[in-house]
Short mmCIF file of all heavy atoms in Angstrom, two decimals:
data_model
loop_
_atom_site.label_atom_id
_atom_site.label_comp_id
_atom_site.label_asym_id
_atom_site.label_seq_id
_atom_site.Cartn_x
_atom_site.Cartn_y
_atom_site.Cartn_z
N MET A 1 -24.15 -37.42 -60.42
CA MET A 1 -24.39 -38.30 -59.31
C MET A 1 -25.90 -38.54 -59.22
O MET A 1 -26.69 -37.62 -59.38
CB MET A 1 -23.88 -37.66 -58.03
CG MET A 1 -24.02 -38.55 -56.83
SD MET A 1 -23.11 -37.87 -55.42
CE MET A 1 -24.47 -37.52 -54.34
N ARG A 2 -26.28 -39.78 -58.95
CA ARG A 2 -27.68 -40.14 -58.78
C ARG A 2 -27.83 -40.98 -57.52
O ARG A 2 -26.91 -41.66 -57.10
CB ARG A 2 -28.16 -41.00 -59.96
CG ARG A 2 -28.26 -40.25 -61.24
CD ARG A 2 -28.70 -41.18 -62.35
NE ARG A 2 -29.45 -40.40 -63.30
CZ ARG A 2 -30.64 -40.75 -63.78
NH1 ARG A 2 -31.19 -41.87 -63.43
NH2 ARG A 2 -31.26 -39.97 -64.62
N TRP A 3 -29.03 -40.93 -56.93
CA TRP A 3 -29.35 -41.81 -55.82
C TRP A 3 -29.52 -43.23 -56.35
O TRP A 3 -30.01 -43.45 -57.45
CB TRP A 3 -30.65 -41.39 -55.13
CG TRP A 3 -30.63 -40.06 -54.45
CD1 TRP A 3 -31.43 -39.00 -54.74
CD2 TRP A 3 -29.81 -39.64 -53.36
NE1 TRP A 3 -31.16 -37.95 -53.91
CE2 TRP A 3 -30.18 -38.32 -53.04
CE3 TRP A 3 -28.81 -40.25 -52.62
CZ2 TRP A 3 -29.56 -37.60 -52.02
CZ3 TRP A 3 -28.21 -39.53 -51.60
CH2 TRP A 3 -28.59 -38.22 -51.31
N HIS A 4 -29.15 -44.22 -55.56
CA HIS A 4 -29.34 -45.63 -55.91
C HIS A 4 -30.82 -45.97 -55.81
O HIS A 4 -31.54 -45.42 -54.98
CB HIS A 4 -28.52 -46.52 -54.96
CG HIS A 4 -28.41 -47.93 -55.40
ND1 HIS A 4 -29.34 -48.87 -55.08
CD2 HIS A 4 -27.48 -48.54 -56.16
CE1 HIS A 4 -28.99 -50.03 -55.61
NE2 HIS A 4 -27.86 -49.85 -56.27
N ARG A 5 -31.30 -46.89 -56.65
CA ARG A 5 -32.74 -47.25 -56.68
C ARG A 5 -33.25 -47.73 -55.33
O ARG A 5 -34.36 -47.40 -54.93
CB ARG A 5 -32.99 -48.33 -57.72
CG ARG A 5 -32.89 -47.83 -59.12
CD ARG A 5 -33.22 -48.94 -60.08
NE ARG A 5 -32.78 -48.58 -61.42
CZ ARG A 5 -32.79 -49.37 -62.44
NH1 ARG A 5 -33.22 -50.61 -62.29
NH2 ARG A 5 -32.37 -48.97 -63.60
N SER A 6 -32.46 -48.52 -54.64
CA SER A 6 -32.90 -49.02 -53.33
C SER A 6 -33.08 -47.87 -52.33
O SER A 6 -33.99 -47.88 -51.51
CB SER A 6 -31.94 -50.07 -52.78
OG SER A 6 -30.65 -49.52 -52.59
N PHE A 7 -32.19 -46.86 -52.41
CA PHE A 7 -32.32 -45.70 -51.55
C PHE A 7 -33.60 -44.93 -51.87
O PHE A 7 -34.32 -44.50 -50.96
CB PHE A 7 -31.10 -44.79 -51.70
CG PHE A 7 -31.20 -43.51 -50.93
CD1 PHE A 7 -31.02 -43.49 -49.56
CD2 PHE A 7 -31.49 -42.31 -51.57
CE1 PHE A 7 -31.13 -42.31 -48.83
CE2 PHE A 7 -31.59 -41.13 -50.86
CZ PHE A 7 -31.41 -41.14 -49.49
N LEU A 8 -33.89 -44.75 -53.16
CA LEU A 8 -35.11 -44.05 -53.56
C LEU A 8 -36.35 -44.78 -53.07
O LEU A 8 -37.33 -44.14 -52.66
CB LEU A 8 -35.15 -43.88 -55.08
CG LEU A 8 -34.11 -42.92 -55.67
CD1 LEU A 8 -34.17 -42.96 -57.19
CD2 LEU A 8 -34.31 -41.52 -55.15
N ALA A 9 -36.32 -46.10 -53.07
CA ALA A 9 -37.46 -46.88 -52.58
C ALA A 9 -37.66 -46.65 -51.09
O ALA A 9 -38.79 -46.47 -50.62
CB ALA A 9 -37.26 -48.37 -52.87
N VAL A 10 -36.58 -46.64 -50.33
CA VAL A 10 -36.66 -46.39 -48.89
C VAL A 10 -37.19 -44.99 -48.61
O VAL A 10 -38.04 -44.78 -47.74
CB VAL A 10 -35.28 -46.61 -48.21
CG1 VAL A 10 -35.29 -46.14 -46.78
CG2 VAL A 10 -34.89 -48.08 -48.29
N VAL A 11 -36.71 -44.00 -49.36
CA VAL A 11 -37.18 -42.61 -49.19
C VAL A 11 -38.67 -42.52 -49.50
O VAL A 11 -39.43 -41.88 -48.77
CB VAL A 11 -36.37 -41.64 -50.07
CG1 VAL A 11 -37.01 -40.26 -50.11
CG2 VAL A 11 -34.94 -41.54 -49.58
N GLY A 12 -39.12 -43.17 -50.58
CA GLY A 12 -40.54 -43.16 -50.92
C GLY A 12 -41.40 -43.76 -49.82
O GLY A 12 -42.45 -43.22 -49.47
N GLN A 13 -40.92 -44.86 -49.22
CA GLN A 13 -41.66 -45.48 -48.11
C GLN A 13 -41.70 -44.55 -46.90
O GLN A 13 -42.72 -44.42 -46.25
CB GLN A 13 -41.00 -46.81 -47.73
CG GLN A 13 -41.16 -47.89 -48.75
CD GLN A 13 -40.31 -49.12 -48.43
OE1 GLN A 13 -39.48 -49.11 -47.53
NE2 GLN A 13 -40.52 -50.18 -49.20
N ARG A 14 -40.59 -43.90 -46.63
CA ARG A 14 -40.53 -42.98 -45.47
C ARG A 14 -41.45 -41.78 -45.67
O ARG A 14 -42.12 -41.35 -44.74
CB ARG A 14 -39.09 -42.52 -45.26
CG ARG A 14 -38.92 -41.66 -44.05
CD ARG A 14 -39.20 -42.44 -42.77
NE ARG A 14 -39.01 -41.56 -41.64
CZ ARG A 14 -39.84 -41.45 -40.62
NH1 ARG A 14 -40.90 -42.21 -40.55
NH2 ARG A 14 -39.60 -40.62 -39.66
N LEU A 15 -41.50 -41.25 -46.90
CA LEU A 15 -42.41 -40.14 -47.17
C LEU A 15 -43.86 -40.57 -46.93
O LEU A 15 -44.65 -39.80 -46.37
CB LEU A 15 -42.24 -39.64 -48.61
CG LEU A 15 -40.96 -38.86 -48.90
CD1 LEU A 15 -40.85 -38.55 -50.37
CD2 LEU A 15 -40.90 -37.59 -48.07
N GLN A 16 -44.21 -41.79 -47.32
CA GLN A 16 -45.57 -42.28 -47.08
C GLN A 16 -45.84 -42.41 -45.59
O GLN A 16 -46.93 -42.08 -45.12
CB GLN A 16 -45.80 -43.60 -47.80
CG GLN A 16 -45.92 -43.42 -49.29
CD GLN A 16 -46.39 -44.68 -49.98
OE1 GLN A 16 -46.68 -45.69 -49.36
NE2 GLN A 16 -46.45 -44.62 -51.30
N GLN A 17 -44.85 -42.87 -44.82
CA GLN A 17 -45.00 -42.97 -43.37
C GLN A 17 -45.23 -41.59 -42.75
O GLN A 17 -45.93 -41.46 -41.74
CB GLN A 17 -43.77 -43.61 -42.74
CG GLN A 17 -43.62 -45.08 -43.04
CD GLN A 17 -42.29 -45.63 -42.54
OE1 GLN A 17 -41.39 -44.87 -42.14
NE2 GLN A 17 -42.15 -46.94 -42.57
N LEU A 18 -44.64 -40.58 -43.36
CA LEU A 18 -44.81 -39.21 -42.87
C LEU A 18 -46.09 -38.55 -43.37
O LEU A 18 -46.37 -37.40 -43.05
CB LEU A 18 -43.60 -38.35 -43.28
CG LEU A 18 -42.28 -38.73 -42.63
CD1 LEU A 18 -41.12 -38.00 -43.30
CD2 LEU A 18 -42.32 -38.41 -41.14
N GLY A 19 -46.85 -39.28 -44.18
CA GLY A 19 -48.12 -38.77 -44.66
C GLY A 19 -48.07 -38.09 -46.01
O GLY A 19 -49.06 -37.52 -46.47
N VAL A 20 -46.91 -38.12 -46.68
CA VAL A 20 -46.78 -37.52 -48.01
C VAL A 20 -47.04 -38.64 -49.02
O VAL A 20 -46.16 -39.40 -49.36
CB VAL A 20 -45.37 -36.91 -48.22
CG1 VAL A 20 -45.27 -36.26 -49.58
CG2 VAL A 20 -45.05 -35.92 -47.12
N ARG A 21 -48.30 -38.74 -49.45
CA ARG A 21 -48.70 -39.85 -50.32
C ARG A 21 -49.12 -39.41 -51.71
O ARG A 21 -49.25 -40.24 -52.60
CB ARG A 21 -49.85 -40.62 -49.67
CG ARG A 21 -49.44 -41.33 -48.41
CD ARG A 21 -50.60 -42.13 -47.83
NE ARG A 21 -50.16 -42.93 -46.71
CZ ARG A 21 -50.13 -42.51 -45.46
NH1 ARG A 21 -50.50 -41.27 -45.18
NH2 ARG A 21 -49.71 -43.29 -44.50
N ALA A 22 -49.34 -38.12 -51.89
CA ALA A 22 -49.82 -37.61 -53.17
C ALA A 22 -49.35 -36.17 -53.34
O ALA A 22 -48.96 -35.51 -52.38
CB ALA A 22 -51.35 -37.66 -53.23
N CYS A 23 -49.39 -35.71 -54.58
CA CYS A 23 -49.04 -34.33 -54.88
C CYS A 23 -50.00 -33.41 -54.12
O CYS A 23 -51.22 -33.57 -54.21
CB CYS A 23 -49.15 -34.09 -56.38
SG CYS A 23 -48.89 -32.36 -56.84
N PRO A 24 -49.48 -32.44 -53.37
CA PRO A 24 -50.36 -31.55 -52.62
C PRO A 24 -51.18 -30.61 -53.49
O PRO A 24 -52.14 -30.00 -53.03
CB PRO A 24 -49.41 -30.78 -51.71
CG PRO A 24 -48.08 -30.90 -52.33
CD PRO A 24 -48.07 -32.17 -53.12
N VAL A 25 -50.83 -30.48 -54.77
CA VAL A 25 -51.56 -29.58 -55.67
C VAL A 25 -52.71 -30.32 -56.35
O VAL A 25 -53.86 -29.91 -56.27
CB VAL A 25 -50.62 -28.96 -56.72
CG1 VAL A 25 -51.40 -28.14 -57.73
CG2 VAL A 25 -49.56 -28.11 -56.04
N CYS A 26 -52.39 -31.43 -57.04
CA CYS A 26 -53.42 -32.12 -57.83
C CYS A 26 -54.04 -33.30 -57.09
O CYS A 26 -55.08 -33.81 -57.50
CB CYS A 26 -52.86 -32.57 -59.17
SG CYS A 26 -51.66 -33.92 -59.07
N GLY A 27 -53.39 -33.78 -56.01
CA GLY A 27 -53.93 -34.88 -55.23
C GLY A 27 -53.67 -36.27 -55.81
O GLY A 27 -54.10 -37.26 -55.25
N ARG A 28 -52.94 -36.35 -56.92
CA ARG A 28 -52.68 -37.64 -57.56
C ARG A 28 -51.41 -38.27 -57.00
O ARG A 28 -50.36 -37.64 -56.96
CB ARG A 28 -52.55 -37.47 -59.06
CG ARG A 28 -53.85 -37.07 -59.72
CD ARG A 28 -53.71 -36.84 -61.19
NE ARG A 28 -52.92 -37.91 -61.83
CZ ARG A 28 -52.42 -37.82 -63.03
NH1 ARG A 28 -52.60 -36.73 -63.74
NH2 ARG A 28 -51.73 -38.81 -63.55
N ALA A 29 -51.51 -39.53 -56.58
CA ALA A 29 -50.35 -40.24 -56.04
C ALA A 29 -49.32 -40.54 -57.12
O ALA A 29 -48.12 -40.53 -56.85
CB ALA A 29 -50.80 -41.53 -55.37
N ASP A 30 -49.78 -40.76 -58.35
CA ASP A 30 -48.83 -41.11 -59.41
C ASP A 30 -48.01 -39.93 -59.91
O ASP A 30 -47.05 -40.11 -60.65
CB ASP A 30 -49.55 -41.79 -60.57
CG ASP A 30 -50.57 -40.89 -61.26
OD1 ASP A 30 -50.98 -39.88 -60.66
OD2 ASP A 30 -50.95 -41.21 -62.39
N SER A 31 -48.36 -38.71 -59.53
CA SER A 31 -47.58 -37.56 -59.97
C SER A 31 -46.51 -37.16 -58.95
O SER A 31 -45.70 -36.29 -59.22
CB SER A 31 -48.48 -36.37 -60.28
OG SER A 31 -49.09 -35.91 -59.11
N LEU A 32 -46.51 -37.81 -57.78
CA LEU A 32 -45.50 -37.51 -56.76
C LEU A 32 -44.35 -38.49 -56.91
O LEU A 32 -44.55 -39.69 -56.99
CB LEU A 32 -46.10 -37.63 -55.36
CG LEU A 32 -45.18 -37.25 -54.22
CD1 LEU A 32 -44.89 -35.75 -54.25
CD2 LEU A 32 -45.79 -37.64 -52.89
N ARG A 33 -43.13 -37.96 -57.00
CA ARG A 33 -41.97 -38.83 -57.12
C ARG A 33 -40.79 -38.20 -56.41
O ARG A 33 -40.79 -37.00 -56.11
CB ARG A 33 -41.64 -39.09 -58.58
CG ARG A 33 -41.12 -37.90 -59.34
CD ARG A 33 -40.80 -38.25 -60.79
NE ARG A 33 -40.01 -37.22 -61.41
CZ ARG A 33 -38.68 -37.18 -61.43
NH1 ARG A 33 -37.99 -38.11 -60.84
NH2 ARG A 33 -38.05 -36.20 -62.02
N VAL A 34 -39.78 -39.01 -56.18
CA VAL A 34 -38.54 -38.54 -55.59
C VAL A 34 -37.53 -38.38 -56.71
O VAL A 34 -37.34 -39.30 -57.51
CB VAL A 34 -38.02 -39.54 -54.53
CG1 VAL A 34 -36.69 -39.08 -53.97
CG2 VAL A 34 -39.04 -39.71 -53.41
N SER A 35 -36.91 -37.23 -56.79
CA SER A 35 -35.93 -36.98 -57.84
C SER A 35 -34.73 -37.91 -57.67
O SER A 35 -34.25 -38.12 -56.56
CB SER A 35 -35.45 -35.53 -57.77
OG SER A 35 -34.38 -35.32 -58.68
N PRO A 36 -34.24 -38.48 -58.77
CA PRO A 36 -33.07 -39.35 -58.67
C PRO A 36 -31.76 -38.58 -58.46
O PRO A 36 -30.73 -39.17 -58.21
CB PRO A 36 -33.04 -40.07 -60.03
CG PRO A 36 -33.72 -39.14 -60.96
CD PRO A 36 -34.76 -38.41 -60.14
N PHE A 37 -31.83 -37.26 -58.52
CA PHE A 37 -30.64 -36.44 -58.38
C PHE A 37 -30.63 -35.75 -57.01
O PHE A 37 -31.62 -35.12 -56.63
CB PHE A 37 -30.58 -35.38 -59.48
CG PHE A 37 -30.58 -35.97 -60.85
CD1 PHE A 37 -31.73 -35.93 -61.63
CD2 PHE A 37 -29.46 -36.60 -61.36
CE1 PHE A 37 -31.75 -36.49 -62.90
CE2 PHE A 37 -29.47 -37.16 -62.62
CZ PHE A 37 -30.62 -37.11 -63.39
N PRO A 38 -29.54 -35.82 -56.27
CA PRO A 38 -29.45 -35.12 -54.99
C PRO A 38 -29.46 -33.61 -55.18
O PRO A 38 -29.05 -33.11 -56.22
CB PRO A 38 -28.11 -35.56 -54.41
CG PRO A 38 -27.54 -36.57 -55.32
CD PRO A 38 -28.33 -36.57 -56.58
N VAL A 39 -29.94 -32.92 -54.18
CA VAL A 39 -29.87 -31.46 -54.13
C VAL A 39 -28.76 -31.13 -53.14
O VAL A 39 -28.80 -31.57 -51.99
CB VAL A 39 -31.21 -30.85 -53.66
CG1 VAL A 39 -31.09 -29.34 -53.53
CG2 VAL A 39 -32.32 -31.24 -54.59
N LEU A 40 -27.75 -30.40 -53.58
CA LEU A 40 -26.64 -30.04 -52.71
C LEU A 40 -26.91 -28.68 -52.09
O LEU A 40 -27.17 -27.71 -52.80
CB LEU A 40 -25.33 -30.04 -53.48
CG LEU A 40 -24.94 -31.37 -54.11
CD1 LEU A 40 -23.65 -31.22 -54.90
CD2 LEU A 40 -24.82 -32.46 -53.08
N LEU A 41 -26.84 -28.63 -50.76
CA LEU A 41 -27.10 -27.39 -50.03
C LEU A 41 -25.87 -27.01 -49.21
O LEU A 41 -25.20 -27.88 -48.66
CB LEU A 41 -28.30 -27.56 -49.10
CG LEU A 41 -29.61 -27.99 -49.74
CD1 LEU A 41 -30.63 -28.34 -48.67
CD2 LEU A 41 -30.13 -26.90 -50.64
N THR A 42 -25.61 -25.72 -49.12
CA THR A 42 -24.53 -25.21 -48.27
C THR A 42 -25.16 -24.26 -47.26
O THR A 42 -26.36 -24.00 -47.29
CB THR A 42 -23.48 -24.45 -49.10
OG1 THR A 42 -24.07 -23.25 -49.60
CG2 THR A 42 -22.94 -25.29 -50.23
N ASP A 43 -24.33 -23.72 -46.40
CA ASP A 43 -24.81 -22.72 -45.45
C ASP A 43 -25.43 -21.54 -46.18
O ASP A 43 -26.33 -20.89 -45.67
CB ASP A 43 -23.67 -22.22 -44.57
CG ASP A 43 -23.10 -23.31 -43.68
OD1 ASP A 43 -23.76 -24.35 -43.50
OD2 ASP A 43 -21.97 -23.13 -43.19
N ALA A 44 -24.95 -21.24 -47.39
CA ALA A 44 -25.41 -20.09 -48.16
C ALA A 44 -26.59 -20.42 -49.07
O ALA A 44 -27.06 -19.57 -49.78
CB ALA A 44 -24.26 -19.54 -49.00
N GLY A 45 -27.06 -21.69 -49.09
CA GLY A 45 -28.17 -22.07 -49.95
C GLY A 45 -27.75 -23.13 -50.96
O GLY A 45 -26.69 -23.74 -50.82
N PRO A 46 -28.59 -23.36 -51.97
CA PRO A 46 -28.28 -24.40 -52.96
C PRO A 46 -26.99 -24.11 -53.72
O PRO A 46 -26.63 -22.96 -53.94
CB PRO A 46 -29.47 -24.35 -53.92
CG PRO A 46 -30.55 -23.69 -53.16
CD PRO A 46 -29.88 -22.75 -52.20
N VAL A 47 -26.28 -25.17 -54.07
CA VAL A 47 -25.06 -25.05 -54.85
C VAL A 47 -25.47 -24.76 -56.31
O VAL A 47 -26.31 -25.46 -56.85
CB VAL A 47 -24.24 -26.36 -54.78
CG1 VAL A 47 -23.03 -26.29 -55.68
CG2 VAL A 47 -23.84 -26.64 -53.34
N PRO A 48 -24.88 -23.74 -56.94
CA PRO A 48 -25.24 -23.45 -58.33
C PRO A 48 -24.80 -24.57 -59.26
O PRO A 48 -23.90 -25.34 -58.93
CB PRO A 48 -24.50 -22.14 -58.63
CG PRO A 48 -23.41 -22.07 -57.62
CD PRO A 48 -23.88 -22.82 -56.41
N GLY A 49 -25.43 -24.65 -60.42
CA GLY A 49 -25.07 -25.66 -61.40
C GLY A 49 -23.63 -25.51 -61.88
O GLY A 49 -22.99 -24.49 -61.64
N ALA A 50 -23.15 -26.52 -62.55
CA ALA A 50 -21.76 -26.53 -63.00
C ALA A 50 -21.46 -25.38 -63.97
O ALA A 50 -20.33 -24.90 -64.04
CB ALA A 50 -21.45 -27.86 -63.67
N ALA A 51 -22.46 -24.93 -64.72
CA ALA A 51 -22.24 -23.86 -65.69
C ALA A 51 -22.22 -22.47 -65.05
O ALA A 51 -21.77 -21.51 -65.66
CB ALA A 51 -23.34 -23.90 -66.76
N ALA A 52 -22.68 -22.37 -63.80
CA ALA A 52 -22.72 -21.07 -63.13
C ALA A 52 -21.32 -20.67 -62.67
O ALA A 52 -20.57 -21.49 -62.16
CB ALA A 52 -23.67 -21.13 -61.93
N PRO A 53 -20.97 -19.40 -62.85
CA PRO A 53 -19.65 -18.96 -62.39
C PRO A 53 -19.59 -18.95 -60.86
O PRO A 53 -20.53 -18.52 -60.20
CB PRO A 53 -19.53 -17.55 -62.97
CG PRO A 53 -20.92 -17.09 -63.20
CD PRO A 53 -21.73 -18.34 -63.48
N ALA A 54 -18.51 -19.45 -60.32
CA ALA A 54 -18.34 -19.49 -58.86
C ALA A 54 -17.65 -18.22 -58.40
O ALA A 54 -16.76 -17.70 -59.08
CB ALA A 54 -17.53 -20.71 -58.46
N PRO A 55 -18.05 -17.70 -57.21
CA PRO A 55 -17.34 -16.55 -56.66
C PRO A 55 -15.87 -16.90 -56.40
O PRO A 55 -15.54 -18.05 -56.14
CB PRO A 55 -18.07 -16.27 -55.34
CG PRO A 55 -19.38 -16.97 -55.46
CD PRO A 55 -19.17 -18.12 -56.40
N LEU A 56 -14.99 -15.91 -56.47
CA LEU A 56 -13.57 -16.18 -56.31
C LEU A 56 -13.21 -16.70 -54.93
O LEU A 56 -12.37 -17.58 -54.80
CB LEU A 56 -12.77 -14.91 -56.63
CG LEU A 56 -12.81 -14.45 -58.08
CD1 LEU A 56 -12.06 -13.13 -58.24
CD2 LEU A 56 -12.21 -15.51 -58.99
N GLN A 57 -13.80 -16.14 -53.90
CA GLN A 57 -13.43 -16.53 -52.54
C GLN A 57 -14.62 -17.21 -51.85
O GLN A 57 -15.08 -16.76 -50.81
CB GLN A 57 -12.98 -15.33 -51.74
CG GLN A 57 -11.69 -14.75 -52.27
CD GLN A 57 -11.23 -13.57 -51.43
OE1 GLN A 57 -12.01 -12.97 -50.71
NE2 GLN A 57 -9.96 -13.26 -51.53
N GLU A 58 -15.08 -18.28 -52.39
CA GLU A 58 -16.20 -18.99 -51.80
C GLU A 58 -15.68 -20.02 -50.79
O GLU A 58 -14.84 -20.85 -51.12
CB GLU A 58 -17.01 -19.71 -52.88
CG GLU A 58 -18.21 -20.44 -52.32
CD GLU A 58 -19.04 -21.08 -53.42
OE1 GLU A 58 -18.89 -20.71 -54.58
OE2 GLU A 58 -19.81 -21.97 -53.09
N HIS A 59 -16.15 -19.91 -49.56
CA HIS A 59 -15.77 -20.86 -48.52
C HIS A 59 -17.01 -21.64 -48.12
O HIS A 59 -17.98 -21.06 -47.65
CB HIS A 59 -15.19 -20.13 -47.30
CG HIS A 59 -13.96 -19.37 -47.63
ND1 HIS A 59 -12.73 -19.98 -47.80
CD2 HIS A 59 -13.74 -18.06 -47.86
CE1 HIS A 59 -11.82 -19.07 -48.09
NE2 HIS A 59 -12.41 -17.89 -48.14
N VAL A 60 -16.97 -22.94 -48.32
CA VAL A 60 -18.09 -23.79 -47.99
C VAL A 60 -17.70 -24.66 -46.80
O VAL A 60 -16.76 -25.46 -46.91
CB VAL A 60 -18.49 -24.67 -49.19
CG1 VAL A 60 -19.63 -25.60 -48.83
CG2 VAL A 60 -18.86 -23.80 -50.38
N ASP A 61 -18.38 -24.48 -45.67
CA ASP A 61 -18.07 -25.27 -44.49
C ASP A 61 -18.75 -26.63 -44.53
O ASP A 61 -18.12 -27.65 -44.31
CB ASP A 61 -18.49 -24.53 -43.23
CG ASP A 61 -17.66 -23.28 -43.01
OD1 ASP A 61 -16.49 -23.26 -43.44
OD2 ASP A 61 -18.18 -22.33 -42.42
N ASP A 62 -20.04 -26.65 -44.80
CA ASP A 62 -20.81 -27.88 -44.79
C ASP A 62 -21.61 -28.00 -46.07
O ASP A 62 -22.18 -27.03 -46.55
CB ASP A 62 -21.80 -27.89 -43.61
CG ASP A 62 -21.08 -27.93 -42.27
OD1 ASP A 62 -20.10 -28.69 -42.16
OD2 ASP A 62 -21.50 -27.22 -41.34
N ILE A 63 -21.64 -29.20 -46.61
CA ILE A 63 -22.49 -29.49 -47.76
C ILE A 63 -23.43 -30.61 -47.36
O ILE A 63 -22.99 -31.63 -46.84
CB ILE A 63 -21.68 -29.88 -49.00
CG1 ILE A 63 -20.82 -28.72 -49.47
CG2 ILE A 63 -22.60 -30.35 -50.12
CD1 ILE A 63 -19.94 -29.03 -50.66
N THR A 64 -24.72 -30.41 -47.58
CA THR A 64 -25.74 -31.41 -47.27
C THR A 64 -26.33 -31.92 -48.56
O THR A 64 -26.70 -31.15 -49.43
CB THR A 64 -26.86 -30.78 -46.41
OG1 THR A 64 -26.28 -30.25 -45.22
CG2 THR A 64 -27.93 -31.80 -46.08
N ALA A 65 -26.41 -33.24 -48.70
CA ALA A 65 -27.08 -33.85 -49.85
C ALA A 65 -28.51 -34.11 -49.42
O ALA A 65 -28.77 -34.87 -48.50
CB ALA A 65 -26.39 -35.13 -50.27
N ALA A 66 -29.47 -33.44 -50.07
CA ALA A 66 -30.87 -33.54 -49.70
C ALA A 66 -31.66 -34.29 -50.77
O ALA A 66 -31.24 -34.38 -51.92
CB ALA A 66 -31.46 -32.14 -49.52
N VAL A 67 -32.79 -34.82 -50.37
CA VAL A 67 -33.69 -35.51 -51.28
C VAL A 67 -34.78 -34.53 -51.68
O VAL A 67 -35.31 -33.80 -50.84
CB VAL A 67 -34.31 -36.74 -50.59
CG1 VAL A 67 -35.35 -37.39 -51.48
CG2 VAL A 67 -33.22 -37.73 -50.23
N LYS A 68 -35.12 -34.51 -52.96
CA LYS A 68 -36.15 -33.60 -53.46
C LYS A 68 -37.36 -34.40 -53.91
O LYS A 68 -37.24 -35.27 -54.77
CB LYS A 68 -35.60 -32.79 -54.63
CG LYS A 68 -36.57 -31.80 -55.20
CD LYS A 68 -35.91 -31.03 -56.33
CE LYS A 68 -36.88 -30.09 -56.98
NZ LYS A 68 -36.27 -29.41 -58.12
N ALA A 69 -38.50 -34.13 -53.32
CA ALA A 69 -39.76 -34.74 -53.77
C ALA A 69 -40.40 -33.78 -54.76
O ALA A 69 -40.45 -32.57 -54.53
CB ALA A 69 -40.69 -34.98 -52.58
N GLU A 70 -40.85 -34.32 -55.89
CA GLU A 70 -41.45 -33.50 -56.94
C GLU A 70 -42.87 -33.95 -57.21
O GLU A 70 -43.16 -35.14 -57.18
CB GLU A 70 -40.62 -33.64 -58.23
CG GLU A 70 -39.19 -33.18 -58.06
CD GLU A 70 -38.32 -33.49 -59.25
OE1 GLU A 70 -38.61 -34.49 -59.94
OE2 GLU A 70 -37.37 -32.74 -59.49
N GLY A 71 -43.74 -33.00 -57.48
CA GLY A 71 -45.12 -33.30 -57.80
C GLY A 71 -45.42 -32.99 -59.26
O GLY A 71 -44.53 -32.97 -60.10
N CYS A 72 -46.67 -32.72 -59.55
CA CYS A 72 -47.10 -32.44 -60.91
C CYS A 72 -46.51 -31.12 -61.40
O CYS A 72 -45.88 -30.39 -60.64
CB CYS A 72 -48.63 -32.39 -60.99
SG CYS A 72 -49.35 -31.00 -60.12
N SER A 73 -46.72 -30.79 -62.67
CA SER A 73 -46.16 -29.56 -63.23
C SER A 73 -46.71 -28.31 -62.56
O SER A 73 -46.08 -27.27 -62.58
CB SER A 73 -46.39 -29.51 -64.74
OG SER A 73 -47.78 -29.55 -65.01
N SER A 74 -47.89 -28.41 -61.95
CA SER A 74 -48.47 -27.27 -61.22
C SER A 74 -47.83 -27.11 -59.85
O SER A 74 -48.05 -26.11 -59.18
CB SER A 74 -49.97 -27.46 -61.04
OG SER A 74 -50.60 -27.53 -62.29
N PHE A 75 -47.06 -28.09 -59.43
CA PHE A 75 -46.45 -28.12 -58.10
C PHE A 75 -45.44 -27.00 -57.93
O PHE A 75 -45.19 -26.54 -56.86
CB PHE A 75 -45.80 -29.49 -57.88
CG PHE A 75 -45.40 -29.78 -56.48
CD1 PHE A 75 -46.29 -29.69 -55.44
CD2 PHE A 75 -44.11 -30.19 -56.20
CE1 PHE A 75 -45.91 -29.99 -54.14
CE2 PHE A 75 -43.72 -30.50 -54.92
CZ PHE A 75 -44.63 -30.40 -53.89
N GLY A 76 -44.83 -26.57 -59.02
CA GLY A 76 -43.89 -25.47 -58.95
C GLY A 76 -42.46 -25.95 -59.07
O GLY A 76 -42.15 -27.12 -59.10
N VAL A 77 -41.56 -25.00 -59.11
CA VAL A 77 -40.15 -25.29 -59.32
C VAL A 77 -39.50 -25.77 -58.04
O VAL A 77 -38.62 -26.62 -58.05
CB VAL A 77 -39.43 -24.02 -59.84
CG1 VAL A 77 -37.96 -24.26 -59.99
CG2 VAL A 77 -40.05 -23.58 -61.16
N ARG A 78 -39.92 -25.29 -56.91
CA ARG A 78 -39.24 -25.59 -55.65
C ARG A 78 -39.45 -27.03 -55.20
O ARG A 78 -38.54 -27.65 -54.72
CB ARG A 78 -39.73 -24.67 -54.55
CG ARG A 78 -39.26 -23.27 -54.72
CD ARG A 78 -39.64 -22.50 -53.50
NE ARG A 78 -39.42 -21.09 -53.71
CZ ARG A 78 -39.71 -20.19 -52.82
NH1 ARG A 78 -40.24 -20.54 -51.68
NH2 ARG A 78 -39.49 -18.93 -53.07
N GLY A 79 -40.65 -27.54 -55.24
CA GLY A 79 -40.92 -28.87 -54.71
C GLY A 79 -40.87 -28.86 -53.19
O GLY A 79 -40.88 -27.81 -52.56
N VAL A 80 -40.82 -30.00 -52.60
CA VAL A 80 -40.72 -30.15 -51.15
C VAL A 80 -39.42 -30.86 -50.86
O VAL A 80 -39.15 -31.90 -51.41
CB VAL A 80 -41.91 -30.99 -50.60
CG1 VAL A 80 -41.78 -31.18 -49.11
CG2 VAL A 80 -43.22 -30.34 -50.95
N ARG A 81 -38.62 -30.31 -49.99
CA ARG A 81 -37.33 -30.92 -49.67
C ARG A 81 -37.38 -31.48 -48.27
O ARG A 81 -37.85 -30.84 -47.36
CB ARG A 81 -36.22 -29.88 -49.80
CG ARG A 81 -36.08 -29.45 -51.23
CD ARG A 81 -34.88 -28.57 -51.43
NE ARG A 81 -34.84 -28.21 -52.83
CZ ARG A 81 -34.75 -26.98 -53.27
NH1 ARG A 81 -34.65 -25.99 -52.43
NH2 ARG A 81 -34.72 -26.73 -54.56
N HIS A 82 -36.83 -32.66 -48.14
CA HIS A 82 -36.76 -33.33 -46.84
C HIS A 82 -35.33 -33.70 -46.54
O HIS A 82 -34.59 -34.03 -47.39
CB HIS A 82 -37.60 -34.59 -46.83
CG HIS A 82 -39.05 -34.30 -46.97
ND1 HIS A 82 -39.85 -33.97 -45.94
CD2 HIS A 82 -39.85 -34.27 -48.06
CE1 HIS A 82 -41.07 -33.78 -46.37
NE2 HIS A 82 -41.09 -33.96 -47.65
#
């Protein structure tokens, strides 16, 4: 699943309105981007990848699709989630 391009454009504009205009590590605007892939979150944290074994009795009440903003390679693995 991927975000639609028009949605990514709206998210990018909203991040700029919130003051997120450049990578907080290197300061370059061209290294900050919004990931085209949603981040799925549950009450227990991020949903593991498809290759990860799932617990036998996993009960998920709510799933949230989040947008992940990514910076330069020095930015780290986590990124900033909104």
